[in-house]
Amino acid sequence: MSVRAFRYGLEHEMAVTRRDGTFADFTSLAFEDLQAVVDVLPEDPADYPDLRVGDQGIKRKRWYVEGYERFDGAGGLLRCDPKGLEIRTRIHHSVEGAVAALQADQKALDAELAIRGLGTTVVGFNPLRSAYVIEPPLNAWEHGHRMGSPEERTAHLHMVTYGPDLNLSAADMDAAELVDVGRKLTHYSPWLVPLSFSSPFRDGAVWDGLSARTFERTGARPAALVFLGPDDPQIEADPSLTQEARLAAEIGRIEFKAFDACPDPELYGELLSLLTGLVLDTTLPGRRTTPDAALHQQVARVGLRDDAVHAGTGELLDAAAAALAGRPADLDRLGSLRARWAARQCPAEEMVARYAAGERVAGLCGSH
């Protein structure tokens, strides 16, 4: 029975819709319009030990405008093209605490957006357009800045994707153990992500698959990232597996980045419990330093409908359950997740069904 204590955090990306339900993105949104919403939400100095503000000061609150920043030739901020909004929780000592914090902050955000004729929708991939075009092309300063890391180099990809960062850490994990966990989660990512799939639309129509986000993103960008201390050796990889922590609260953080954005925050809680079990597990042998892009693309099309994928996900649920013995709350959440798995459910399946029934889903108007 494990007594290891974990801490948890959630980072949740949302797309924006207008009052009539139409989808809004960098082609029709102004950064200033979304920032005006963030400006009226409360700022809490107690957030800062846990949350990074960033160089430009855009991330001063638990809510912030997510986008792609453009700079002048001397590195001065010119503009930020918005893709949507993000909510970040503080670090919590329980999964329940992180989920409850996200739900409360979502409620506050939605109320302020509604006043301005806006709302949020949760979808894993921009349903209208598959690419963000960098216009004008990067200048010399921007090129140097964006080529500084694999993640900066591929930052434009995130402009059409929406996903969470599910964070967990344990104080007694050293750098070697963190790297090993990161490699384990990277290896098993193709069998984890189908539980979250929520991007069945692409270029204004239903796509031939369940996660356009996974198809386009994972492999070029990390599945898992671990944050190490300044004296810990970094692993050279493209995309990155490790990163030097940018503030003290990040040291030791395991960040799983490959899930699609989930409409139900409770699903995030269930997935955090699954990740907890996989961190505690000592039986699973698979390890990879970078994600298997081809396998992710295959799984993105078929999800849990495929018997082999379904079986692989079931093996991970079994391993996590064994490792979570003595942790009843985590086991309860894992039980709920197992029920979704048994029914081969993911949010994308429901989204397609609603669209087929004629409902507006993620800004797209369905038709019979």
Side-chain angles (χ1 to χ4, degrees):
M1 180 185 301
S2 172
V3 295
R4 173 171 275 175
F6 286 88
R7 302 194 305 165
Y8 300 95
L10 290 167
E11 302 173 43
H12 172 55
E13 294 180 340
M14 298 145 287
V16 177
T17 54
R18 302 198 180 278
R19 195 185 302 277
D20 62 1
T22 56
F23 193 83
D25 62 9
F26 47 85
T27 64
S28 59
L29 279 173
F31 173 85
E32 292 75 16
D33 291 340
L34 293 184
Q35 186 60 44
V37 177
V38 174
D39 286 343
V40 299
L41 291 165
E43 183 173 340
D44 188 346
D47 291 339
Y48 296 146
D50 291 351
L51 304 180
R52 189 173 71 92
V53 173
D55 297 337
Q56 305 304 323
I58 293 172
K59 303 178 180 181
R60 289 201 61 81
K61 299 181 180 181
R62 295 191 296 276
W63 311 263
Y64 72 91
V65 182
E66 179 72 69
Y68 191 88
E69 298 165 350
R70 298 304 309 270
F71 301 89
D72 63 25
L77 180 66
L78 287 176
R79 72 176 201 263
C80 180
D81 294 342
K83 78 166 185 180
L85 292 154
E86 179 165 323
I87 297 172
R88 307 173 294 169
T89 71
R90 295 184 196 173
I91 297 171
H92 292 266
H93 291 282
S94 69
V95 171
E96 300 92 330
V99 171
L102 175 60
Q103 290 170 323
D105 284 347
Q106 181 76 63
K107 183 177 180 180
L109 174 63
D110 286 342
E112 293 297 339
L113 285 167
I115 294 171
R116 293 157 178 81
L118 299 172
T120 58
T121 189
V122 177
V123 64
F125 193 79
N126 187 313
L128 298 180
R129 64 201 93 252
S130 292
Y132 165 77
V133 180
I134 301 173
E135 293 180 341
L138 298 178
N139 61 39
W141 188 93
E142 290 177 309
H143 188 271
H145 172 66
R146 293 295 181 187
M147 297 303 116
S149 72
E151 286 60 62
E152 285 291 350
R153 192 187 69 244
T154 57
H156 62 284
L157 294 177
H158 89 90
M159 287 294 286
V160 293
T161 68
Y162 302 85
D165 290 340
L166 271 58
N167 304 324
L168 66 162
S169 62
D172 59 343
M173 294 181 69
D174 62 23
E177 188 174 6
L178 288 165
V179 169
D180 185 66
V181 166
R183 296 186 69 238
K184 180 199 290 188
L185 296 179
T186 297
H187 175 88
Y188 289 106
S189 174
W191 298 276
L192 292 171
V193 292
L195 293 161
S196 72
F197 283 168
S198 69
S199 41
F201 306 114
R202 185 165 184 168
D203 298 321
V206 175
W207 179 62
D208 181 25
L210 297 169
S211 180
R213 177 182 189 268
T214 299
F215 190 90
E216 292 294 337
R217 176 200 175 281
T218 306
R221 292 176 69 80
L225 194 62
V226 296
F227 291 84
L228 304 178
D231 298 325
D232 296 322
Q234 298 288 323
I235 304 298
E236 291 294 327
D238 188 352
S240 299
L241 178 70
T242 65
Q243 182 174 314
E244 184 175 334
R246 297 157 295 185
L247 68 168
E250 281 187 339
I251 297 175
R253 175 180 296 176
I254 303 158
E255 193 168 88
F256 193 79
K257 305 176 75 68
F259 289 129
D260 279 13
C262 296
D264 180 4
E266 296 295 340
L267 179 52
Y268 286 151
E270 295 168 16
L271 294 171
L272 275 174
S273 288
L274 173 59
L275 293 175
T276 302
L278 295 179
V279 171
L280 292 170
D281 163 77
T282 58
T283 66
L284 294 168
R287 301 292 188 274
R288 280 187 67 97
T289 300
T290 58
D292 185 330
L295 183 54
H296 277 89
Q297 289 186 332
Q298 175 189 338
V299 172
R301 291 193 179 276
V302 299
L304 295 173
R305 300 168 180 171
D306 182 86
D307 288 342
V309 175
H310 187 258
T313 304
E315 291 173 5
L316 297 181
L317 289 166
D318 289 343
L324 290 169
R327 305 173 75 104
D330 284 312
L331 286 170
D332 284 347
R333 283 186 290 271
L334 200 68
S336 298
L337 194 59
R338 186 181 291 276
R340 300 180 196 259
W341 165 81
R344 302 187 186 231
Q345 291 178 345
C346 67
E349 301 277 11
E350 179 187 355
M351 296 167 80
V352 171
R354 289 170 49 210
Y355 181 84
E359 294 184 36
R360 183 179 288 279
V361 183
L364 295 183
C365 189
S367 58
H368 294 286

